[in-house]
Amino acid sequence: MTSPESTSAPTETLTALEEVYAQVKRVNRDLRPTDRIIQDLEVDSLATLEILLALEERFGVSLVDNPRAAKLQTVGDLVGLLDELRSAKTS
């Protein structure tokens, strides 16, 4: 059985990502885990950096310097990495 925290964390993370995406791209949109960051969301390298920096500030984790961040392809990949980093920070 999963704890309430583990089921709510991805939703919280995805909601935060949607908010940051809306600020950076000036577009309100529901994001899906299968959305490809570059192709589907039309995020260029500068916008990617802005999004990562905003998420770092919001969650207190390091994304820009994380080598795994360069390999992110989808929203689900980014949410998974954020959740992992947030979980490691609290343990």
Side-chain angles (χ1 to χ4, degrees), residues 48-73:
T48 298
L49 183 59
E50 288 180 66
I51 290 169
L52 293 179
L53 289 171
L55 292 169
E56 281 186 345
E57 185 176 319
R58 185 167 192 156
F59 293 117
V61 297
S62 179
L63 286 169
V64 174
D65 294 334
N66 189 315
R68 291 176 49 202
K71 298 176 185 174
L72 297 173
Q73 298 286 318

Side-chain angles (χ1 to χ4, degrees), residues 18-88:
E18 286 174 345
E19 291 170 5
V20 168
Y21 176 79
Q23 290 172 345
V24 171
K25 292 294 286 183
R26 293 178 173 42
V27 174
N28 285 326
R29 167 181 178 171
D30 291 333
L31 301 181
R32 297 171 306 197
T34 56
D35 286 335
R36 295 171 299 169
I37 296 168
I38 295 171
Q39 296 89 341
D40 298 330
L41 302 182
E42 299 177 357
V43 175
D44 62 18
S45 58
L46 180 58
T48 298
L49 183 59
E50 288 180 66
I51 290 169
L52 293 179
L53 289 171
L55 292 169
E56 281 186 345
E57 185 176 319
R58 185 167 192 156
F59 293 117
V61 297
S62 179
L63 286 169
V64 174
D65 294 334
N66 189 315
R68 291 176 49 202
K71 298 176 185 174
L72 297 173
Q73 298 286 318
T74 66
V75 167
D77 295 340
L78 179 52
V79 168
L81 178 57
L82 275 169
D83 287 339
E84 185 180 314
L85 293 172
R86 291 174 64 204
S87 178

